[in-house]
Amino acid sequence: MLAAPMYNPRLSYEENYDHGPFGAFSHPLQSPRAGHPRFSFVGQPVGLPFGIPAGPLVNGKYVKAALDMGFDLPVYKTVRTRAYKSHAWPNVLPVKFEGDLPAECLRLVVGEEYEEPLSITNSFGVPSMSPEVWQPDLAECVRYAREGQMVIGSYQGTLPEHGGGVREYIADFRLGARLMRETGVKAVEVNFSCPNEGTAHLLCFDAERSVAVVEAIREELGELPLLIKIAYFRDDAQLEQLVRRVGPHVAGISAINTISAEVRDAAGNQALPGEGRLMSGVCGRSIKWAGLAMVSKLKRLRENLGLSYSICGVGGVSSPEDFAEYRAAGADAVMSATGAMWNPQLAQEIRQAEQVEEIVA
Ligand SMILES: Cc1cc2nc3c(=O)[nH]c(=O)nc-3n(C[C@H](O)[C@H](O)[C@H](O)COP(=O)(O)O)c2cc1C
């Protein structure tokens, strides 16, 4: 049975921002602390290496509720260096699909209800408040975290309103890194599964450009751990190229983001209103295979290339068994967006299952 989601898809992004979180996240009970942190992620001590990736935690109220509910690695939603509007409502819809979603473009139909096994599409356009709003909000979350918890800040580059090219694009990543550092976050994730300025592809598919961006960011971050968030790679050689070039300069790699598909209503029309929204990112149960596959590949590459980055596994996690499966595949940390949105108790369930494992072992 799915619980009331913390982010309500029936409301606009702005309504969720102002009035959320909802369901159990609206009155979180502080979960009991479990001794000293036993795990570490990107060099930091962590109680339970489980969290919520960039997206559902749209501001500090959501992040603090997640911390209270035992998600020890919450990521504050991806922000930008300037205010940016959300796509029009609806932004989240259920999709009808059971099984493993193929990685190549597929036509999907929206469902009427949110039901298990749950897959959804999300389409926001990465909205952001201005740094004047998100910087103090994020800084407060960092102070709120208890021992063994780490709030991660996520951002991506944006061209200035008057336009620009690759130089301005990279300069904005640099500026974003500085703004992040000023908040006091203990780790920064940069979204590389975002459009690559001047091309039709994602940034993570361009190893050369990715290195240039990482170098610019590193100059601003210094020793602060940097994670990159990447998409599913169909081409193993392309992934190896990225990891070879970028792997030595980052503390962690998070995978995956959503898998894109055509999303239509029952009559065959585009389901999400507006230009450029026919193709939309799908997440939840049907992409778990892809997240697991990427974790295995990243682990193998780390060994083969003698690197030391932490691996954060994301995609389709909705139960303690999914968490264990990701850990067994090589994930140092695991995160759940869709699963956690509809199950606020997920971190506590995983904690209990882990304790049972320990007693049995
Ligand atoms: C409501 C929602 C908003 C999201 N927004 C972002 C975002 O701003 N930045 C990002 O890197 N990923 C974003 N994602 C992708 C998630 O971080 C995650 O990579 C993806 O949903 C797969 O995990 P899941 O199957 O557990 O949902 C979003 C996902 C959801 C459900």
Side-chain angles (χ1 to χ4, degrees):
M1 252 286 281
L2 296 172
M6 62 165 97
Y7 178 101
N8 186 346
R10 299 184 209 288
L11 303 177
S12 70
Y13 175 75
E14 292 75 16
E15 286 167 321
N16 274 284
Y17 188 99
D18 290 340
H19 305 299
F22 300 98
F25 265 51
S26 64
H27 49 273
L29 288 177
Q30 280 217 341
S31 60
R33 285 290 76 203
H36 270 307
R38 287 193 301 123
F39 297 90
S40 96
F41 179 60
V42 294
Q44 306 290 318
V46 178
L48 180 73
F50 183 65
I52 299 179
L57 307 177
V58 299
N59 60 34
K61 289 182 290 176
Y62 287 75
V63 173
K64 288 182 208 161
L67 290 166
D68 284 345
M69 297 294 284
F71 293 88
D72 286 348
L73 292 172
V75 185
Y76 191 104
K77 185 214 168 307
T78 305
V79 293
R80 299 176 183 262
T81 58
R82 62 182 169 86
Y84 206 89
K85 269 187 101 58
S86 166
H87 286 335
W89 183 89
N91 305 98
V92 173
L93 291 171
V95 293
K96 281 188 193 155
F97 193 84
E98 286 196 24
D100 294 346
L101 186 76
E104 53 285 338
C105 170
L106 193 82
R107 186 177 166 141
L108 289 178
V109 177
V110 298
E112 289 89 47
E113 295 299 330
Y114 294 90
E115 51 199 4
E116 288 174 297
L118 181 62
S119 287
I120 62 170
T121 185
N122 83 78
S123 167
F124 290 88
V126 193
S128 180
M129 291 291 173
S130 69
E132 288 72 31
V133 176
W134 64 253
Q135 273 193 307
D137 194 33
L138 175 54
E140 205 179 301
C141 297
V142 174
R143 289 191 292 272
Y144 190 82
R146 293 185 284 170
E147 188 190 11
Q149 299 193 312
M150 178 169 64
V151 176
I152 299 173
S154 161
Y155 81 101
Q156 72 182 53
T158 313
L159 279 186
E161 246 158 335
H162 55 77
V166 174
R167 247 176 53 158
E168 288 75 12
Y169 180 63
I170 294 179
D172 192 72
F173 274 102
R174 185 191 292 273
L175 170 61
R178 180 165 65 73
L179 296 173
M180 276 285 155
R181 182 168 46 80
E182 287 170 359
T183 66
V185 278
K186 303 285 185 299
V188 175
E189 181 177 273
V190 60
N191 186 13
F192 272 16
S193 30
C194 67
N196 183 12
E197 180 46 36
T199 78
H201 303 288
L202 302 181
L203 179 55
C204 56
F205 296 141
D206 182 342
E208 204 63 40
R209 181 80 58 81
S210 293
V211 173
V213 172
V214 162
E215 280 172 354
I217 295 172
R218 287 241 52 99
E219 279 174 24
E220 288 295 335
L221 290 187
E223 293 306 305
L224 197 57
L226 171 66
L227 292 120
I228 55 168
K229 167 95 171 270
I230 62 174
Y232 175 74
F233 278 63
R234 276 186 278 168
D235 183 341
D236 286 356
Q238 194 181 24
L239 178 63
E240 177 167 346
Q241 205 189 6
L242 177 79
V243 174
R244 230 177 234 290
R245 299 292 312 277
V246 175
H249 309 292
V250 296
I253 302 181
S254 299
I256 58 174
N257 212 306
T258 53
I259 289 183
S260 280
E262 265 187 30
V263 180
R264 298 185 181 270
D265 64 18
N269 302 314
Q270 180 175 327
L272 296 155
E275 208 184 315
R277 295 181 77 196
L278 174 59
M279 294 299 289
S280 185
V282 177
C283 44
R285 178 64 189 79
S286 61
I287 69 160
K288 185 178 120 182
W289 71 272
L292 279 170
M294 283 290 284
V295 166
S296 301
K297 290 178 194 185
L298 289 169
K299 180 171 183 264
R300 207 164 39 243
L301 284 169
R302 183 172 64 186
E303 282 158 15
N304 293 347
L305 300 173
L307 298 171
S308 60
Y309 53 79
S310 296
I311 300 168
C312 178
V314 190
V317 175
S318 65
S319 67
E321 292 75 24
D322 294 336
F323 170 82
E325 221 178 315
Y326 265 89
R327 289 278 298 169
D332 299 290
V334 182
M335 294 189 184
S336 168
T338 308
M341 275 170 79
W342 274 270
N343 180 5
Q345 314 296 340
L346 188 52
Q348 280 155 28
E349 288 172 10
I350 291 173
R351 207 168 244 115
Q352 274 159 18
E354 287 287 292
Q355 278 159 4
V356 171
E357 279 288 302
E358 266 172 45
I359 294 163
V360 173

